[in-house]
Amino acid sequence: MSRPLLAVFETPEALVQALRVARADGHRALDAFTPFPVPALTEAFAPPRNPVRPVMAIAGFGAAAAMYALQWYSSVIAYPLNSGGRPLHSWPVFLLVPFEVGVLAAAFAGFVAMLWTCGLPRLHHPLFALPQFERASQDRFLLLVAPRGEAAPLRQRLEQAGATLVSEMPP
């Protein structure tokens, strides 16, 4: 599979046009870098669905259910002790610990999922090694596109759309 291509443009209009061309050809636009906000890009890059809440829910409910099952097993199966004539499975007594462990597991899973979603703790991205990336905060507009299949047709289409330079991402 080909590595992503970084295309450099001089105007925001050329950047938006190249994005539309790349999407029409079936390529996946990964990111755009501009010195100022470009409203047309906001609509083009819809935010992905955030996986943190479902991960937290699964971890919290799963840990609470596992802790409840552990308490049930220890009092009903492993060590059945009849104290004061109460039933062995006394669910009101078992609710506090699963709740606390569920909240703790959900918080920990949410923290880990947030780090994973943000791409942390990676401190360096290969894109920073390209010399043309420095101009993205000054006067150039950059588009990072993942080609579908071969990179040569995408390179030609980006150059036709007005790219002054198209380079392949380093590994």
Side-chain angles (χ1 to χ4, degrees):
M1 184 169 175
S2 300
R3 291 190 294 227
L5 297 178
L6 182 70
V8 180
F9 300 93
E10 292 187 4
T11 64
E13 293 81 18
L15 172 71
V16 172
Q17 178 61 29
L19 175 66
R20 290 186 181 131
V21 165
R23 284 236 172 121
D25 290 348
H27 304 290
R28 185 169 57 105
L30 299 175
D31 210 346
F33 306 96
T34 63
F36 55 83
V38 178
L41 291 178
T42 306
E43 297 132 13
F45 288 104
R49 193 155 187 266
N50 192 350
V52 174
R53 286 186 291 173
V55 167
M56 288 181 72
I58 290 169
F61 289 129
M67 187 53 62
Y68 188 87
L70 177 67
Q71 286 183 335
W72 175 84
Y73 175 78
S74 66
S75 69
V76 175
I77 305 295
Y79 192 66
L81 179 64
N82 188 352
S83 172
R86 291 183 307 207
L88 295 177
H89 181 218
S90 180
W91 66 269
V93 177
F94 294 169
L95 290 183
L96 183 61
V97 173
F99 174 76
E100 291 174 355
V101 170
V103 169
L104 178 66
F108 183 72
F111 179 71
V112 170
M114 184 268 308
L115 289 178
W116 176 68
T117 303
C118 293
L120 296 175
R122 181 173 66 183
L123 301 177
H124 180 75
H125 192 277
L127 187 64
F128 302 152
L130 296 175
Q132 57 267 28
F133 187 74
E134 291 180 16
R135 302 286 300 269
S137 62
Q138 298 168 0
D139 61 350
R140 292 292 183 262
F141 301 88
L142 280 65
L143 179 64
L144 186 63
V145 182
R148 184 191 63 173
E150 281 297 315
L154 174 60
R155 181 185 301 269
Q156 283 183 333
R157 294 285 285 170
L158 290 172
E159 288 170 351
Q160 290 171 357
T164 57
L165 177 67
V166 179
S167 61
E168 195 172 88
M169 283 284 297

